[in-house]
Amino acid sequence: MIRSKTQTILTAAAASALLAACAVGPKAPVADLPVAGTGALIGSANPAVSTAQARDDWWRLYDDPTLDGLIQQAFAENNQLEAAFANLRAVRASLSEARTGRLPTTSTSAAYQRSRASAATVQGLPPGQDAPEIDTYDVGLDASYEIDLFGRVESTIRAARADVRAAEAAFATVQVTVAAETARAYADTCSANAQIAVAEQSLGLQRDTLRLTERLLEGGAGTGLDVASARAAVAQTAATLPTLRAARNEALFRLATLTGVTPSEASQAAAACARPPQLSQPIPVGDGAQLLARRPDVRQAEADLAAAAARVNVATADLFPSISLGGSIGSTALDSDGLGDSENFRFSFGPLISWSFPNVFAARARIQQAGALSDAALATFDQTVLGALQETETALSNYANELDRRAALTEARDQAARAADLSRQRFNAGADSFLLVLDAERTQAAAEAALAQSDALVSTYQIALFKALAGGWTPQV
């Protein structure tokens, strides 16, 4: 009889376990990608880019060993990356904790108690005599297993898995940012050095012109106006150098922080670089579908949506009863030597059903809250997709237009240099006034500075494009 009852209970438990994966609640919302955003990128028609698959190690396209070393150092030493990876480990530990819901919970106990009943409650005890003192020894093992009939445990695990995917994507986002910002800081340092070199070259030419005007004035062929104008040009160009040097130092110190060192330990190779890194081939950008698959922020938003949907199921499961199988085995004796005697063994086994009717309104409120958060996660996903496409197309547009601007500035610089050279020749031949020479030199200096600034912007826009393409992250974390 006892055996048949036990078999009935175990059969019911097995049937319930088969239904454990059947979560209650609404289905997860579908994270659809806009069809128009999965085709060719608008800016991919520019010859400066190609539709080949974008690269994770995009910085190697520059073929710059210094940059390669700095990126590697940043990946190894950057503190933001270290913090993001620690957060990822914490979320993975939470998943391990959630998985324990599939396992029975156990507890062991051991107790000793000396007791004496009240004499008034003991029948047959002579008046004035105390009740006897009794020693009780007890050891036991209790086990309980929740039958996940309504999917609460599995939904909790599903939410935790999605949290891990979101944390992995968040870590990848930091990797993308660190790679891009390290390259940007290096390029800014090199660009500042290049602009300093241009300013110093212009300053040298203007000082030569100043010395010429001073000699002419001493010889009676020049005027004080020519000297004053030449000195003003020298001072104006010299005034640009402190700003450029400050920008160079700021970029160098930023690079030091990104690579995990103090400003005094900043890379000397970066400090000495003379020009921003150069590309010798078009930038591979792929298409919209590849972009959205690569972008870690899109992956994070998708994972957050899955987690929010799973938590709706968890909240819905609270509307239904909780079913557990419990068992206990132990021994209770009046002396410690009797704990091993067969007649002192005890056991219990059976299902426990609990249903919190009074909290049904609170449960429904939690369902509404979880549902609202799921709707918000879906809207966030949609917005993240649009933002990724916008950022990439903007980066492509900025890069293409700055290339056109640099080409025009290169032509302007070449023509300004030719005009300045002709103006000096005409002045030496007595055909033009010295003011025309000064004006031509100012134009040449401004053209050189504008071209150097455009070179810096080209590098900045290149790196912004690489960042938008989400290069520099590895899924295996």
Side-chain angles (χ1 to χ4, degrees):
M1 186 68 177
I2 295 176
R3 182 180 179 185
S4 63
K5 287 183 177 180
T6 303
Q7 287 177 337
T8 301
I9 293 173
L10 292 176
T11 302
S16 299
L18 291 175
L19 296 173
C22 301
V24 294
K27 292 183 179 180
V30 180
D32 289 327
L33 297 176
V35 177
T38 58
L41 297 168
I42 297 173
S44 63
N46 190 283
V49 302
S50 73
T51 56
Q53 174 70 45
R55 290 180 54 168
D56 288 339
D57 58 344
W58 53 265
W59 54 89
R60 299 190 186 280
L61 295 174
Y62 287 109
D63 195 21
D64 188 326
T66 299
L67 178 58
D68 293 345
L70 290 169
I71 297 288
Q72 183 177 4
Q73 182 180 352
F75 279 164
E77 303 295 339
N78 184 269
N79 293 307
Q80 288 178 302
L81 269 176
E82 184 177 351
F85 188 61
N87 291 333
L88 174 57
R89 295 201 311 270
V91 176
R92 284 174 172 171
S94 297
L95 173 59
S96 298
E97 180 183 6
R99 283 172 173 162
T100 62
R102 293 171 172 167
L103 305 175
T105 59
T106 59
S107 62
T108 58
S109 62
Y112 161 75
Q113 183 178 16
R114 176 178 285 269
S115 63
R116 186 180 69 181
S118 169
T121 63
V122 179
Q123 295 183 356
L125 188 68
Q129 183 176 343
D130 294 336
E133 295 182 356
I134 300 175
D135 291 333
T136 304
Y137 297 84
D138 183 86
V139 293
L141 172 66
D142 298 328
S144 176
Y145 174 73
E146 179 179 353
I147 301 174
D148 195 23
L149 184 61
F150 301 103
R152 185 190 66 82
V153 173
E154 285 301 319
S155 295
T156 300
I157 295 172
R158 195 164 64 250
R161 284 202 199 100
D163 286 340
V164 169
R165 295 199 304 272
E168 289 172 346
F171 177 73
T173 298
V174 178
Q175 283 184 305
V176 169
T177 301
V178 167
E181 292 306 316
T182 300
R184 192 196 307 270
Y186 173 68
D188 288 348
T189 302
C190 299
S191 296
N193 281 336
Q195 292 178 69
I196 289 171
V198 168
E200 289 177 340
Q201 182 179 8
S202 297
L203 186 60
L205 291 174
Q206 290 169 345
R207 282 173 174 164
D208 290 341
T209 300
L210 173 60
R211 284 190 288 271
L212 174 61
T213 60
E214 290 174 339
R215 286 197 298 270
L216 290 173
L217 179 62
E218 292 172 356
T223 66
L225 176 60
D226 293 341
V227 173
S229 298
R231 287 175 177 171
V234 168
Q236 187 174 12
T237 302
T240 64
L241 286 171
T243 301
L244 293 173
R245 289 172 182 143
R248 187 262 317 277
N249 292 339
E250 184 274 334
L252 191 61
F253 299 155
R254 178 159 37 96
L255 180 61
T257 300
L258 287 163
T259 53
V261 298
T262 63
S264 62
E265 300 171 295
S267 169
Q268 294 305 305
C273 69
R275 59 180 297 191
Q278 304 293 310
L279 288 175
S280 59
Q281 61 181 333
I283 296 177
V285 299
D287 58 23
Q290 294 170 348
L291 167 70
L292 296 176
R294 290 168 53 83
R295 290 272 301 209
D297 55 344
V298 174
R299 298 165 68 90
Q300 182 178 359
E302 184 179 12
D304 286 338
L305 175 59
R311 290 189 171 95
V312 175
N313 298 136
V314 174
T316 305
D318 289 340
L319 286 175
F320 298 90
S322 174
I323 303 175
S324 298
L325 289 178
S328 175
I329 186 172
S331 177
T332 303
L334 298 179
D335 59 74
S336 59
D337 293 336
L339 290 175
D341 297 340
S342 59
E343 66 270 15
N344 292 330
F345 276 104
R346 57 177 174 77
F347 77 92
S348 64
F349 177 76
L352 172 65
I353 301 177
S354 61
W355 199 345
S356 301
F357 284 103
N359 291 330
V360 65
F361 297 108
R364 292 191 180 280
R366 287 193 294 270
I367 293 172
Q368 292 176 353
Q369 179 187 35
L373 292 176
S374 179
D375 292 341
L378 178 60
T380 299
F381 172 80
D382 292 339
Q383 183 62 28
T384 302
V385 169
L386 295 178
L389 294 170
Q390 174 197 337
E391 181 182 356
T392 305
E393 294 289 7
T394 300
L396 283 165
S397 175
N398 288 341
Y399 179 47
N401 283 288
E402 191 58 37
L403 287 176
D404 292 341
R405 178 171 176 265
R406 185 175 68 173
L409 288 174
T410 300
E411 175 66 17
R413 187 274 315 270
D414 293 343
Q415 294 303 320
R418 183 169 180 271
D421 183 61
L422 291 174
S423 181
R424 293 187 196 96
Q425 293 179 22
R426 289 176 61 82
F427 172 75
N428 292 334
D432 283 339
S433 70
F434 184 71
L435 291 178
L436 292 177
V437 174
L438 286 177
D439 184 64
E441 288 184 345
R442 288 193 189 97
T443 302
Q444 180 184 6
E448 293 278 6
L451 180 58
Q453 291 173 356
S454 181
D455 284 337
L457 277 177
V458 166
S459 295
T460 296
Y461 290 144
Q462 283 174 352
I463 295 168
L465 177 56
F466 284 127
K467 183 180 179 181
L469 294 171
W473 71 287
T474 51
Q476 296 81 17
V477 290

